[in-house]
Amino acid sequence: MLALDTALTKVVGDRTAKAMADELQLHTVRDLVRHYPSRYARRGEMTRLTDLQVGDRVTVLGQVRKVDTRPMKNRRGSITEVTVGDGEGSMRLVFFNHKHARLAVGAWGLFAGTVSSWHGQLQFNHPDCQLLDESTDADEWATAMLPIYPASKSVSSWVLQKSLKLVLDSPAAADQLLAADPVPAPVRRRHGLMALARAIWLKHHPETPDDVERADHRLKWDEALVLQVTLAARRRAASLEPGIARPRRPGGLADAVDGLLPFDLTDGQREVGEALAAEIGREQPMHRLLQGEVGSGKTVVALRAMAQVVDAGGQAALLAPTEVLAAQHARGIAGLLGPLGRAGELDGDAEGTRVTLLTGSLRTAARRAALAEVADGRAGIVVGTHALLSEGVEFADLGLVVVDEQHRFGVEQRDRLRAKGQRPPHVLVMTATPIPRTVAMTVYGDLETLTLRQLPAGRGGVSSSVVPVREKPAWLGRAWERVREEVAQGRQAYVVCPRIGDDEPAGEGPDDADGAPAGDAERRPPLAVLDVAEQLRGGPLAGLRVEVLHGRLTAEEKEARMRAFAQREVDVLVATTVIEVGVDVPNATVMVVMDADRFGVSQLHQLRGRVARGKHPGLCLLVSEAPVSSSTGVRLAQVAATTDGFELARLDLETRREGDVLGAAQSGRRSGVKLLSLLHDEELIAAARSEAAGLLETDLGLAEHPELAAAVAALNAGDRADWLERA
Ligand code: ADP
Ligand code: MG
């Protein structure tokens, strides 16, 4: 009798079972029934085959129109050419020395192969064929939806289809599916969802597109609910592990910081600050995502929270993604605190604390001194890069971890950081890239979100334009004139390039995971900082003070050049994306992004944020060779047209694959998410989230819902849930 846990070796032959396991990771009946068709073949598709690329592996449905066998010219043997069509379109199948008695004119079949082209016509060489049941009326194929399964080298779509038929026709398996429904009956009733067994059946045997849609909706619920229960359970578990309450103390560093700020806090900063202060004051470890537009003033919010923790006797760590940014934060905070940040020094204030910078590039002596301050607790505010997480770094009493600019944190790293506190520290993750609600609910599902919507008053704002150099070559010259004009007014400029130059190893430059289109090998290499700086100095920007900044400089060099720029000793900084995040020079008002199409949407938004930081209006010019009407050109125009971070986040999500967002290339296998779309299923995910919360509230441990509990356990088994942590 077939059961869901039955090994596929009991269903199909050993060889096929092994291939299914090795090539498709299908081991049991359960895996097989969840191996969904990737599409459904219907008649009339061949006309669209022209969209196919040579090299694609596809399966098509067609009718044999012509069979022609002849001897080969230069070799022994014969060649058989079969023309198949599906109405309007047709393609050719080529077989060598093959007997295809059944490939008779009029027969319908599925043909799978790798698309090649011969004299301009698409063809399959030696395709796999599956002739359809001859007893069926040909008209039926006109409307039928034949499931096409993700196949592999030795497991074809129809082998999968046959195996599934064996399974789904077995009443025992159907009964088990009925019983194994992870979505509890009351939830199904509330949302009008069909039973799992029915959905699985329909997904594999739909008669209409509507069947597929209804089955998908129901199956997505499985995925969303299991995911959301996992996340809710994790939030709950984290909240049960006590941390240390660090309530706000009047008259301490936190009050001093407020007194020292050269500006009034915005209402948003004040509100968010109060929420954080209250949570840090509780024993339950805080877990917050602070999302705020570029320039909305997140750093100050973080500093106030850090000061509160210092006042309560703890230490706070601020983690930055780059050395440039870490150094800038340390400098900014130390500058603001003045003597209060130099406790223990001659001119320091004994009431204050110490601000300590810890990065990988510190020299041995400086590093040793920094480590000592961190370990004995003199350093209340520790700013650093990933180096903070390394073995030798010990804190006396780590009370708060602030992660700036959306660091990608692995589960091990988070645990390592947690372990550095005697009890779990409070955690604040800050990001300038607004996160679509669905992503916040899934990828960031264990972080509750706070949002800073308001920018500090008196900001000039930034306007953006695309400079399409192919179509409007003169505009580039105009762009450099604009740079000269701004510099003449006492302002400064950035020029950003995707590459450093001089054949650097890959690594810096646009981050593909961030949505930059995959590089086309045929394209010229991206423009490089060193080349562009050279050309500008000798040409359009001659006479200006042009400096370069990139990741290959030493930390001291980078630091020195950033400082020179901040002190207006440099007019134009030609840089890679090292300036992408957080760099704060309010006097810089123009940015020219070269090869803008090589950057992802959120990267461009981040970059542009560098020139929207002061009272003067900013200008961002996106220079690209992409044709205005190409999809890339359209994307750039969209970026230029809006500064609404939420709209851009959506655009970003559209231009990258879901798998990237979920943090694993094979998200389907790893996360259990096959059908759910972060882009299109916002409502469903929100509903599942609220159901998950309800289920855990009344039924902790899911005792009443063993099937749901089992599905959650399966998701959490091994490393499968890791991606959830990469927030
Ligand atoms: P982001 O949120 O992008 O990290 P920052 O914290 O770097 O932004 O702040 C951007 C700039 O705005 C900084 O120069 C900061 O000093 C300034 N700033 C922050 N809050 C205010 C405020 N309430 N009023 C005026 N300027 C502010
Ligand atoms: Mg910042």
Side-chain angles (χ1 to χ4, degrees):
M1 193 182 88
L2 289 182
L4 288 178
D5 288 326
T6 303
L8 289 175
T9 43
K10 303 256 163 60
V11 181
V12 296
D14 283 352
R15 271 232 328 266
T16 308
K18 185 168 184 328
M20 284 183 176
D22 292 348
E23 295 170 18
L24 296 168
Q25 283 74 45
L26 304 175
H27 304 279
T28 63
V29 167
R30 186 193 314 272
D31 297 337
L32 185 63
V33 298
R34 296 280 191 175
H35 189 68
Y36 305 134
S38 52
R39 63 182 195 91
Y40 301 88
R42 310 190 74 181
R43 218 174 105 170
E45 286 185 326
M46 237 177 253
T47 42
R48 271 183 276 130
L49 285 185
T50 37
D51 293 345
L52 290 174
Q53 307 271 328
V54 167
D56 283 351
R57 199 181 156 77
V58 289
T59 305
V60 298
L61 172 66
Q63 186 179 32
V64 177
R65 295 215 179 124
K66 204 169 101 187
V67 181
D68 179 20
T69 301
R70 55 185 151 76
M72 283 204 272
K73 277 187 200 137
N74 306 323
R75 280 190 280 157
R76 278 153 51 110
S78 66
I79 182 166
T80 305
E81 280 186 21
V82 178
T83 308
V84 296
D86 72 337
E88 290 164 44
S90 73
M91 75 183 292
R92 181 170 45 198
L93 318 178
V94 179
F95 301 90
F96 300 100
N97 291 330
H98 224 274
K99 298 270 171 286
H100 275 274
R102 293 178 64 229
L103 272 182
V105 170
W108 280 89
L110 285 168
F111 306 95
T114 304
V115 180
S116 58
S117 161
W118 197 77
H119 285 298
Q121 209 203 343
L122 293 178
Q123 72 174 28
F124 282 158
N125 285 327
H126 261 278
D128 291 334
C129 315
Q130 171 75 359
L131 289 177
L132 301 171
D133 195 341
E134 284 142 34
S135 64
T136 321
D137 185 350
D139 279 350
E140 215 171 282
W141 302 119
T143 51
M145 297 183 71
L146 296 175
I148 305 295
Y149 292 93
S152 66
K153 207 163 98 266
S154 36
V155 187
S156 68
S157 177
W158 42 86
V159 164
L160 286 158
Q161 193 188 347
K162 273 193 201 133
S163 316
L164 268 155
K165 189 168 161 50
L166 283 176
V167 166
L168 293 175
D169 286 352
S170 136
D175 282 354
Q176 284 215 0
L177 272 177
L178 216 50
D181 199 332
V183 180
V187 177
R188 291 207 303 269
R189 261 197 311 279
R190 271 196 289 280
H191 299 276
L193 305 173
M194 65 178 82
L196 180 63
R198 173 96 187 116
I200 295 267
W201 170 266
L202 270 188
K203 183 78 181 153
H204 294 290
H205 301 92
E207 284 176 6
T208 65
D210 184 57
D211 287 346
V212 179
E213 201 170 302
R214 286 186 304 133
D216 278 352
H217 183 69
R218 154 61 228 226
L219 295 170
K220 283 175 179 180
W221 256 93
D222 279 13
E223 298 177 359
L225 189 65
V226 169
L227 209 70
Q228 292 300 333
V229 167
T230 302
L231 294 167
R234 185 168 302 168
R235 276 198 300 276
R236 199 178 258 262
S239 72
L240 293 177
E241 197 183 347
I244 299 175
R246 317 268 183 184
R248 186 154 174 147
R249 179 168 66 79
L253 190 64
D255 281 355
V257 166
D258 284 353
L260 288 169
L261 289 178
F263 44 71
D264 291 332
L265 293 173
T266 63
D267 292 344
Q269 283 170 322
R270 212 178 290 281
E271 274 159 34
V272 167
E274 266 159 36
L276 296 179
E279 287 185 30
I280 291 170
R282 287 187 210 122
E283 195 175 66
Q284 174 181 331
M286 175 178 81
H287 239 82
R288 280 288 191 179
L289 177 68
L290 172 59
Q291 146 177 329
E293 275 292 344
V294 175
S296 59
K298 295 183 290 295
T299 317
V300 170
V301 172
L303 177 59
R304 295 176 76 225
M306 293 196 283
Q308 168 175 343
V309 168
V310 171
D311 283 337
Q315 291 166 289
L318 173 57
L319 212 60
T322 63
E323 298 215 340
V324 169
L325 194 52
Q328 177 187 285
H329 277 319
R331 194 167 55 233
I333 293 171
L336 181 75
L337 293 182
L340 278 171
R342 293 194 294 271
E345 282 173 42
L346 225 49
D347 67 343
D349 184 332
E351 294 294 295
T353 186
R354 295 186 65 77
V355 180
T356 302
L357 177 65
L358 191 60
T359 59
S361 64
L362 286 188
R363 302 203 191 265
T364 319
R367 179 176 164 79
R368 202 174 295 135
L371 285 177
E373 287 181 4
V374 176
D376 66 20
R378 271 176 295 158
I381 294 177
V382 185
V383 184
T385 52
H386 254 109
L388 277 183
L389 305 179
S390 51
E391 283 281 323
V393 182
E394 305 218 354
F395 287 81
D397 181 12
L398 181 60
L400 171 66
V401 175
V402 180
V403 184
D404 193 18
E405 305 288 0
Q406 207 178 359
H407 231 69
R408 292 225 151 202
F409 244 161
V411 66
E412 334 78 51
Q413 291 170 321
R414 198 179 283 192
D415 283 351
R416 242 193 285 163
L417 202 58
R418 280 224 178 106
K420 288 186 191 288
Q422 281 141 1
R423 298 226 227 120
H426 300 286
V427 175
L428 175 64
V429 178
M430 305 196 293
T431 174
T433 314
I435 294 162
R437 197 160 144 255
T438 47
V439 179
M441 285 188 299
T442 48
V443 181
Y444 289 84
D446 60 343
L447 296 173
E448 299 280 355
T449 307
L450 281 170
T451 305
L452 268 184
R453 286 186 189 278
Q454 192 184 12
L455 292 183
R459 288 285 165 80
V462 57
S463 57
S464 313
S465 307
V466 179
V467 178
V469 280
R470 284 254 171 88
E471 282 121 316
K472 309 271 183 196
W475 289 13
L476 187 58
R478 179 73 194 115
W480 301 127
E481 267 171 46
R482 285 289 291 126
V483 170
R484 298 193 76 99
E485 285 164 22
E486 289 294 314
V487 170
Q489 307 254 323
R491 308 279 99 77
Q492 292 161 280
Y494 297 101
V495 177
V496 181
C497 304
R499 203 163 59 91
I500 300 173
D502 278 355
D503 305 311
E504 77 264 24
E508 204 170 346
D511 175 5
D512 279 338
D514 192 37
D520 177 348
E522 309 269 297
R523 290 205 286 174
R524 63 155 172 76
L527 292 172
V529 166
L530 299 177
D531 305 338
V532 168
E534 183 84 15
Q535 287 158 13
L536 291 177
R537 282 188 188 117
L541 300 185
L544 303 191
R545 296 168 299 176
V546 176
E547 187 56 277
V548 301
L549 184 73
H550 55 74
R552 234 173 28 230
L553 299 170
T554 66
E556 287 92 36
E557 282 171 316
K558 271 187 275 190
E559 172 71 19
R561 289 181 193 191
M562 259 331 283
R563 190 173 318 153
F565 189 64
Q567 291 168 357
R568 304 193 192 184
E569 290 157 16
V570 170
D571 300 315
V572 180
L573 196 60
V574 185
T576 55
T577 51
V578 288
I579 59 142
E580 175 187 344
V581 284
V583 167
D584 186 26
V585 178
N587 191 51
T589 50
V590 204
M591 171 173 289
V592 183
V593 183
M594 307 302 289
D595 275 346
D597 50 286
R598 311 254 182 169
F599 298 92
V601 170
S602 56
Q603 256 183 328
L604 290 173
H605 185 51
Q606 281 282 342
L607 283 168
R608 167 167 74 179
R610 304 306 113 218
V611 289
R613 308 183 75 79
K615 55 185 186 300
H616 309 288
L619 175 67
C620 176
L621 300 171
L622 306 173
V623 180
S624 169
E625 287 180 3
V628 175
S629 60
S630 67
S631 62
T632 309
V634 169
R635 181 169 59 99
L636 289 177
Q638 285 171 309
V639 173
T642 180
T643 52
D644 178 341
F646 283 88
E647 198 174 311
L648 288 165
R650 211 179 154 76
L651 189 61
D652 191 30
L653 199 55
E654 272 166 27
T655 52
R656 54 211 253 191
R657 289 176 305 140
E658 301 270 318
D660 293 336
V661 179
L662 288 176
Q666 288 157 304
S667 62
R669 206 164 79 230
R670 300 203 48 204
S671 63
V673 171
K674 291 178 177 168
L675 300 173
L676 198 63
S677 154
L678 294 181
L679 192 57
H680 302 293
D681 297 320
E682 179 169 339
E683 238 170 81
L684 196 157
I685 292 171
R689 181 180 171 86
S690 100
E691 289 289 356
L695 284 167
L696 285 185
E697 203 165 285
T698 56
D699 185 21
L700 191 55
L702 301 173
E704 279 174 30
H705 307 294
E707 292 307 328
L708 179 55
V712 171
L715 175 64
N716 283 286
D719 66 345
R720 281 172 152 211
D722 272 11
W723 64 273
L724 290 173
E725 294 280 353
R726 291 187 211 285

